[in-house]
Amino acid sequence: MISWWKRSLARQFIGFILSALVVSQVLSFLISWDEQDKALKAASKSEFFTRTASITRLLEVIPGELREDVLQASETSTSRFWLTTDPPTDLVTWRRSATSQLVRPIRNAVALPPEWGLGSVSGQVEAARSVEAKITPTAGNLEWIQAGGTLWPLDQSARYTDLVTSNGGGSGMGMAVQLKSGLWLNTAYFKIAGTPWWRSPSLYSFALSAVILSVIVILATARITRPMRELAVAADALGRGENVSPIPETGPDDIRLTAVSFNRMQQRLHRYVEDRVRMLAAIGHDLRTPLTSLRLRAEFVSDPDVQQRMLDTIDEIQAMTEATIAFAKGEASTEETRTIDLCALVESLCDDLGDLGHKVEFTESKKAHYRCRPGALRRAIRNLVENAVRYGGGANVSIVEKATAFEILIKDSGPGIPKEMQDKVFSPFFRMEKSRNRQTGGIGLGMSIARAIVRHHGGDIELSSNNPGLTVCLRLPKADRTSIEHRAEAMAAHWTL
């Protein structure tokens, strides 16, 4: 899960922005929902007290026979009014009575046309009956509250209570007012909860905002990551020794400056390698004259043994100089990179060495397409196989394809190399054989050249014991330029979809 999150910059941006959006929206929703709920309850309470006070004044001035008609005309789908002769002492009993009154259908209900969308009489009746299941008579404060203050402007004694639900399915209130005639006006109001919060329009607004922000982030990150993908492809190719064209210096300032720095670094590296090759070539050229002079002087030495040792030393110096120059030129090789069949290249090399009389066996495998500099890679493999033949008496070569790399295994049955010496054999001019006799060993650059070439391809060489003998593992990663481009294109297509 974590690796999936880290692999994409766009996913991280979307995650951060959506997290911030969720937190801000939740806090805003909770604050606004609480404030809205308080405001609605305050408005409902004020309207309920005002309406009760108005009806109380009206009942005080109209004839007694009209009171019932006035109360029925004043009822709504959420409020009921009724008269009692006894004072409401037991609050639980009064709440049950209020519930039965709220369930009672109103007599002044008007059948409205369905196309008006204002509900029907049967709908109002069903809504009223649902109140009975919501109000809990024993919930909340079980004592009457004396009404007064600015909400209750009349002199008549009034008692107030809340109609509480057990599951938050609505809100209501009730009052009992003593009239001058001795009767008690009872009023009850209850409204079923409206749309739940999970069906609130705010959630649809949040979802729309999240989609729009995600699209914007995808477009923005695509603009940022496109030059980064180009930089990754170019850096991988440069690390493998390819000639890379300067990458476009476009995009935001941070990305553009990175591209500028990369292009400058590439120019400096090429200039450094070219200067080193020219310097070594000049040194090699300048050494030829004194070496030739030494060779001529050695001809005048009268002692044949001393003369031969001098000539051998001169030949060794000349061979080491030429090998050094060849090594430097090989590192600065401008060979074109192309895709080849790695299996065919190794097999043809083994066949050529076999034709020269060397004991080399190749284990066939399926085709392995690989992007490389074939001439340089062939030279590296040849050096390793020739070492196995020279010091191990023969070589067995095979190719193993792994998930992320191709491994070329070169095994021999020779004396092997001690573990503490396995890293030193890659040092320039290092030889296990100390006689410095070129008949029993080379200059000591073969392993160095092979590792330099393999590392230029992004791989490496590892040595291990073969019991007996030595196993040389030449590992070449599959993450070449082509696969990086394909991966970048796949990523871009994924986010476009």
Side-chain angles (χ1 to χ4, degrees):
M1 182 65 180
I2 297 178
S3 60
W4 175 88
W5 167 261
K6 291 183 177 179
R7 285 180 59 184
S8 173
L9 184 62
R11 292 172 186 167
Q12 294 185 33
F13 278 171
I14 292 175
F16 291 143
I17 290 179
L18 290 185
S19 298
L21 180 63
V22 168
V23 172
S24 63
Q25 289 288 338
V26 168
L27 292 177
S28 175
F29 179 77
L30 292 177
I31 294 173
S32 62
W33 188 271
D34 184 62
E35 292 295 330
Q36 180 184 11
D37 186 58
K38 290 180 179 179
L40 290 176
K41 287 183 178 180
S44 299
K45 187 174 183 179
S46 176
E47 194 275 337
F48 176 70
F49 272 65
T50 302
R51 188 177 182 87
T52 302
S54 300
I55 295 177
T56 300
R57 291 193 188 100
L58 183 60
L59 292 180
E60 294 288 7
V61 298
I62 64 173
E65 63 272 11
L66 297 179
R67 289 173 179 171
E68 287 295 333
D69 295 333
V70 170
L71 293 179
Q72 292 177 9
S74 301
E75 291 180 344
T76 66
S77 59
T78 57
S79 60
R80 298 292 186 272
F81 305 93
W82 70 99
L83 294 171
T84 59
T85 57
D86 299 326
T89 55
D90 184 13
L91 184 55
V92 175
T93 304
W94 188 92
R95 284 179 177 174
R96 289 196 176 97
S97 176
T99 302
S100 63
Q101 290 291 334
L102 288 169
V103 171
R104 171 179 55 80
I106 57 178
R107 298 180 183 179
N108 61 346
V110 180
L112 301 176
E115 58 269 16
W116 287 16
L118 299 176
S120 61
V121 175
S122 59
Q124 295 175 12
V125 173
E126 292 299 325
R129 288 177 178 172
S130 64
V131 173
E132 188 173 10
K134 296 182 180 295
I135 298 178
T136 307
T138 58
N141 187 12
L142 296 180
E143 297 291 336
W144 283 101
I145 302 173
Q146 193 68 29
T150 57
L151 288 177
W152 184 250
L154 303 182
D155 296 333
Q156 284 89 337
S157 176
R159 304 174 184 179
Y160 168 79
T161 184
D162 289 317
L163 296 180
V164 184
T165 61
S166 58
N167 56 359
S171 62
M173 59 200 78
M175 286 189 71
V177 183
Q178 187 176 18
L179 302 178
K180 294 179 180 179
S181 61
L183 295 177
W184 286 83
L185 171 63
N186 300 274
T187 64
Y189 165 83
F190 187 86
K191 185 175 182 179
I192 300 174
T195 303
W197 65 268
W198 59 86
R199 296 176 58 187
S200 172
S202 299
L203 293 182
Y204 297 103
S205 175
F206 166 75
L208 181 61
S209 300
V211 172
I212 294 175
L213 281 177
S214 299
V215 173
I216 294 175
V217 169
I218 290 173
L219 295 177
T221 52
R223 184 172 179 267
I224 295 174
T225 56
R226 186 180 298 109
M228 293 178 65
R229 289 196 299 268
E230 295 175 354
L231 179 62
V233 172
D236 182 76
L238 180 64
R240 293 167 57 83
E242 298 186 30
N243 292 324
V244 181
S245 301
I247 60 176
E249 299 174 358
T250 58
D253 286 346
D254 296 337
I255 304 299
R256 182 180 58 80
L257 291 176
T258 304
V260 171
S261 299
F262 176 83
N263 291 334
R264 289 178 181 174
M265 178 193 68
Q266 183 179 202
Q267 293 174 359
R268 290 168 183 166
L269 287 174
H270 287 313
R271 186 164 58 247
Y272 168 76
V273 173
E274 291 172 359
D275 291 343
R276 189 175 68 164
V277 172
R278 282 197 298 267
M279 180 187 66
L280 290 174
I283 292 174
H285 180 269
D286 292 342
L287 282 175
R288 287 193 180 97
T289 300
L291 287 174
T292 302
S293 177
L294 286 174
R295 189 180 297 278
L296 290 175
R297 292 178 184 274
E299 296 293 337
F300 294 100
V301 177
S302 58
D303 190 338
D305 293 335
V306 175
Q307 182 187 55
Q308 187 59 45
R309 286 198 295 271
M310 291 179 63
L311 292 174
D312 291 341
T313 302
I314 293 170
D315 289 340
E316 184 176 0
I317 294 174
Q318 186 172 1
M320 292 176 65
T321 303
E322 292 177 352
T324 302
I325 295 173
F327 177 49
K329 288 183 177 179
E331 285 188 327
S333 175
T334 57
E335 181 184 2
E336 182 181 356
T337 302
R338 56 190 177 91
T339 302
I340 63 164
D341 182 0
L342 188 61
C343 180
L345 183 143
V346 177
E347 184 177 11
S348 65
L349 172 62
C350 293
D351 291 341
D352 293 343
L353 293 176
D355 293 339
L356 294 176
H358 298 302
K359 187 179 178 182
V360 180
E361 296 181 359
F362 176 72
T363 303
E364 293 187 5
S365 59
K366 63 180 182 179
K367 289 185 177 182
H369 296 290
Y370 186 70
R371 186 176 177 83
C372 64
R373 296 186 300 281
L377 188 59
R378 183 183 177 91
R379 181 184 180 189
I381 300 173
R382 184 184 182 96
N383 287 349
L384 298 175
V385 174
E386 287 180 344
N387 280 348
V389 172
R390 181 181 294 115
Y391 301 107
N396 187 289
V397 185
S398 62
I399 298 178
V400 178
E401 182 177 357
K402 297 293 183 67
T404 58
F406 292 106
E407 292 184 353
I408 302 176
L409 303 178
I410 303 170
K411 300 180 180 180
D412 63 62
S413 301
I417 299 177
K419 189 172 182 179
E420 64 273 10
M421 303 291 291
Q422 289 180 358
D423 190 59
K424 294 183 179 180
V425 297
F426 294 104
S427 301
F429 304 111
F430 179 84
R431 292 178 56 186
M432 295 287 295
E433 202 273 323
K434 302 297 183 180
S435 68
R436 311 303 298 179
N437 186 349
R438 287 192 293 149
Q439 300 300 323
T440 59
I443 300 298
L445 284 176
M447 297 291 285
S448 299
I449 292 173
R451 187 169 70 169
I453 293 173
V454 173
R455 285 184 172 179
H456 280 179
H457 285 78
D460 207 349
I461 299 176
E462 295 179 0
L463 306 181
S464 60
S465 177
N466 194 29
N467 294 322
L470 183 71
T471 298
V472 180
C473 177
L474 192 154
R475 182 175 290 105
L476 298 170
K478 290 183 178 180
D480 56 358
R481 180 174 180 174
T482 303
S483 63
I484 289 181
E485 290 176 343
H486 288 169
R487 189 164 62 249
E489 292 174 358
M491 185 182 299
H494 170 74
W495 283 117
T496 301
L497 295 176

